[in-house]
């Protein structure tokens, strides 16, 4: 990775060039850098006034300026200081540019002291104590720090993805920690390869962060009562539609904060509030009918199950509103009369088809009473779903290796998160296979 620091003749709030080390560029050098570089390069603004040659906003839309064309090609800009592009340098003079960047700050100049790092900021070892020019919370941004501004949440430091690259805004006060800046610079290129979960003040988790490889499927293992179910339920609570199920299980109102960063999407929620991120689906061992099988969905479920080789010919809604199942030998029975395994696979398939979740959370998969020959076929359906992330908790060593075996057939990687009362461990599949020859993975962590 190539890194350069721009040091201009003028600045607004910050001149960090005395702390910087490495390749230092003046205006001409910075112009050449953004014209020639792209992916694999980082331009840090040590002074917080951009030269007009890089950001000629009077002549072009912001996205068509040289600096944003550089970002679109894969370059990274790290902005340290005042509100981005609030001022530009024209012929050596600092000039007010106005609100020309799409993310506009709030409360400029008003000092905010209650700044805390997000899970992403903590992963990058970014520490910021105060802010004077945060921006409103936005789905366009990945925050590195958050703060309260009145009744609203604001982002003092953040990442804005643009094209193949990104714009990173860091410290907006004169109190800059250059080591923290460089920690972000050196760590940002790996963000796309990790999934980050953090729980604060939630049941057993006081302040716990879990970092997994950016895989589609994660298997959560551990002894009894280490928090496997709590972990999945906390993530599920990002979506308010899961709250009745969680509260039915726990019979309590939950507090705390949950954060999830996956596939370049960031979610954060104070669990006492009704903020909602649709697209999370929690499936628990108590798989009572939590999906409404209308005639159309019943036909779709039957079609999928026939394709999986399940002993089901038809599913339909009877005149009295009950769900009935026709087996391959013609037997016509009410769904209520079938065993737990049949009910589980019918309702689980119905949930997947109806909800089409972006994050799928399955707790204690072995408790669904599925026959050994059916389990791989169901897992194939689950893994082929459109979900970006699938987390499956289990106490079964059989399940913990059937899941990655099925995933491997689809060239989908898996990772193991092993929880203990005193810590955690993350394993890739090869590591898990090697260690499991000598130890039960559930007991790997105390």
């Amino acid at each position: 990775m190539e890194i350069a620091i721009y040091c201009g003749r003028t600045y607004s709030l910050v001149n960090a060039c005395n702390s910087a080390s490495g390749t230092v560029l003046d205006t001409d050098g910075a112009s050449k850098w953004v014209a020639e570089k792209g992916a694999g390069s980082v331009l840090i603004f040590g002074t917080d006034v951009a030269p007009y040659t890089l950001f000629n906003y009077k002549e072009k839309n912001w996205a068509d300026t040289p600096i944003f064309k550089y970002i679109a090609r894969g370059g990274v800009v790290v902005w340290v200081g005042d509100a981005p592009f609030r001022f530009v340098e024209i012929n050596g003079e600092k000039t007010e540019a106005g609100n020309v960047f799409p993310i506009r700050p709030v409360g400029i100049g008003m000092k905010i002291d209650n700044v805390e790092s997000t899970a992403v900021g903590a992963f990058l070892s970014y520490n910021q104590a105060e802010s004077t020019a945060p921006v409103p919370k936005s789905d366009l941004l990945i925050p590195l720090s958050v703060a309260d501004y009145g009744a609203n949440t604001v982002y003092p430091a953040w990442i804005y993805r643009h094209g193949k690259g990104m714009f990173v805004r860091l410290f907006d006060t004169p109190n800059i920690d250059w080591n923290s800046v460089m920690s972000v610079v050196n760590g940002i290129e790996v963000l796309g390869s990790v999934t980050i979960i953090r729980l604060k003040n939630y049941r057993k988790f006081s302040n716990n962060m879990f970092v997994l490889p950016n895989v589609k499927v994660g298997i959560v293992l551990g002894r009894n009562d280490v928090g496997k179910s709590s972990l999945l339920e906390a993530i599920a609570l990002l979506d308010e539609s899961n709250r009745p199920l969680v509260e039915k299980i726990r019979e309590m109102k939950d507090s705390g904060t949950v954060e999830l960063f996956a596939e370049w999407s960031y979610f954060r929620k104070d669990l006492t509030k009704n903020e909602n991120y649709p697209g999370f689906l929690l499936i628990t061992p108590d798989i009572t009918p939590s999906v409404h099988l209308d005639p159309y969905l019943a036909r779709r479920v039957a079609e999928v199950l026939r394709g999986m080789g399940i002993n089901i010919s038809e599913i339909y809604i009877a005149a009295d509103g009950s769900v009935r199942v026709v087996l391959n030998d013609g037997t016509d029975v009410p769904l209520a009369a079938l065993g737990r395994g049949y009910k589980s696979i019918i309702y689980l398939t119905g949930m997947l088809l109806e909800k089409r979740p972006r994050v799928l959370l399955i707790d204690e998969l072995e408790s669904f009473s599925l026959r050994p020959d059916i389990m791989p076929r169901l897992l194939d359906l689950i893994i082929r779903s459109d979900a970006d992330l699938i987390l499956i908790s289990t106490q079964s060593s059989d399940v913990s290796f059937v899941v990655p075996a099925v995933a491997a057939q689809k060239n989908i990687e898996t990772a193991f998160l092993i929880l203990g009362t005193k810590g955690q461990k993350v394993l890739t599949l090869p590591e898990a296979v090697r260690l499991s020859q000598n130890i039960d993975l559930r007991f790997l962590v105390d």
Side-chain angles (χ1 to χ4, degrees):
M1 181 169 58
E2 297 181 88
I3 302 173
I5 300 96
Y6 167 71
C7 293
R9 288 177 289 180
T10 64
Y11 64 93
S12 170
L13 183 67
V14 165
N15 183 353
C17 289
N18 293 331
S19 304
S21 61
T23 302
V24 176
L25 304 177
D26 59 10
T27 296
D28 290 340
S31 297
K32 184 177 180 181
W33 180 276
V34 302
E36 296 177 351
K37 307 292 183 179
S41 68
V42 179
L43 178 60
I44 305 171
F45 274 74
T47 49
D48 54 3
V49 175
Y52 189 70
T53 53
L54 297 186
F55 192 72
N56 51 341
Y57 68 98
K58 291 184 179 180
E59 303 167 29
K60 297 184 177 181
N61 179 274
W62 65 269
D64 295 323
T65 59
I67 192 168
F68 278 94
K69 285 186 175 181
Y70 160 72
I71 296 172
R73 294 196 304 273
V76 174
V77 168
V78 176
W79 184 279
V80 183
D82 207 346
F85 309 110
R86 182 182 178 192
F87 300 98
V88 295
E89 182 183 302
I90 302 177
N91 297 324
E93 299 292 332
K94 183 173 69 174
T95 303
E96 183 91 34
N99 290 321
V100 292
F101 191 53
I103 310 298
R104 300 181 179 183
V106 295
I108 290 180
M110 180 177 292
K111 185 178 176 181
I112 300 173
D113 292 321
N114 61 337
V115 177
E116 61 176 293
S117 295
T118 64
V120 179
F123 173 77
L124 295 173
S125 299
Y126 178 73
N127 296 301
Q128 181 177 359
E130 58 188 17
S131 172
T132 60
V135 299
K137 180 180 179 180
S138 170
D139 292 340
L140 297 174
L141 305 177
I142 299 167
L144 302 184
S145 61
V146 295
D148 293 329
Y149 180 70
N152 300 314
T153 298
V154 292
Y155 295 164
W158 39 267
I159 298 171
Y160 176 72
R161 298 184 73 211
H162 178 70
K164 298 179 180 179
M166 63 188 81
F167 182 95
V168 185
R169 191 278 179 89
L170 299 181
F171 297 94
D172 59 351
T173 69
N175 301 317
I176 294 173
D177 179 350
W178 190 256
N179 290 330
S180 192
V181 172
M182 293 309 299
S183 178
V184 172
V185 170
N186 292 322
I188 201 166
E189 65 179 347
V190 304
L191 267 183
S193 62
V194 296
T195 294
I196 305 171
I197 306 164
R198 185 165 72 170
L199 306 182
K200 297 180 71 175
N201 302 318
Y202 182 79
R203 298 182 191 156
K204 294 180 178 294
F205 303 105
S206 58
N207 187 357
N208 298 75
M209 190 160 75
F210 312 94
V211 180
L212 287 73
N214 185 29
V215 296
K216 181 173 182 176
V217 181
I219 303 161
V220 184
L221 293 172
R223 304 169 185 264
N224 285 326
D225 201 33
V226 294
K228 299 185 299 297
S229 296
S230 294
L231 176 67
L232 268 57
E233 290 163 11
I235 298 171
L237 286 170
L238 289 165
D239 187 333
E240 279 294 304
S241 67
N242 293 305
R243 185 175 290 273
L245 174 60
V246 174
E247 292 187 344
K248 176 182 178 183
I249 296 169
R250 299 295 172 180
E251 297 181 350
M252 61 181 290
K253 290 285 186 180
D254 292 302
S255 62
T257 303
V258 58
E259 294 175 87
L260 171 66
F261 172 78
E263 291 291 330
W264 288 107
S265 294
Y266 174 81
F267 311 90
R268 180 179 185 270
K269 181 177 180 179
D270 177 343
L271 295 179
T272 63
K273 299 180 180 178
N274 291 327
E275 188 174 13
N276 191 43
Y277 297 99
F280 291 74
L281 176 60
L282 174 64
I283 300 177
T284 69
D286 182 21
I287 195 164
T288 53
S290 51
V291 61
H292 175 63
L293 283 175
D294 59 35
Y296 173 68
L297 183 58
R299 288 195 299 272
R300 291 175 63 204
V301 171
E303 181 180 357
V304 169
L305 295 182
R306 285 198 303 272
M308 293 167 56
I310 306 300
N311 181 27
I312 290 177
S313 172
E314 183 183 355
I315 302 173
Y316 68 97
I317 310 301
D320 62 1
S322 64
V323 179
R324 298 191 66 88
V325 179
V326 180
L327 303 180
N328 288 340
D329 63 2
T331 303
D332 187 326
V333 295
L335 175 59
L338 292 178
R340 178 178 170 82
Y342 270 111
K343 292 176 182 175
S344 294
I345 198 167
I346 289 172
Y347 280 112
L348 198 154
T349 302
M351 288 179 182
L352 291 178
L353 294 177
E354 181 185 43
K355 307 295 186 181
R356 299 179 62 87
R358 62 188 302 182
V359 175
L360 176 61
L361 308 152
I362 303 178
D363 192 23
E364 296 183 20
L365 182 59
E366 68 274 13
S367 299
F368 290 84
S369 302
L370 299 172
R371 295 202 317 259
D373 61 314
I374 291 180
M375 177 74 75
R377 284 178 271 177
L378 176 63
L379 286 170
D380 180 75
L381 174 68
I382 292 170
I383 290 169
R384 285 190 292 108
S385 72
D386 294 333
D388 293 327
L389 176 63
I390 301 168
L391 293 179
I392 300 172
S393 75
T394 181
Q395 286 275 18
S396 166
S397 57
D398 290 336
V399 169
S400 66
F401 283 99
V402 171
V403 173
V406 174
Q409 295 174 0
K410 306 297 179 183
N411 294 317
I412 296 174
E413 295 184 359
T414 58
F416 290 74
L417 172 60
I418 304 171
L419 301 181
T421 57
K422 299 179 181 178
Q424 58 172 288
K425 193 171 186 63
V426 175
L427 301 174
T428 62
L429 178 58
E431 291 171 332
V433 170
R434 176 176 57 82
L435 290 172
S436 65
Q437 296 174 1
N438 300 310
I439 188 173
D440 187 328
L441 294 180
R442 293 173 297 173
F443 308 114
L444 183 63
V445 181
D446 291 334

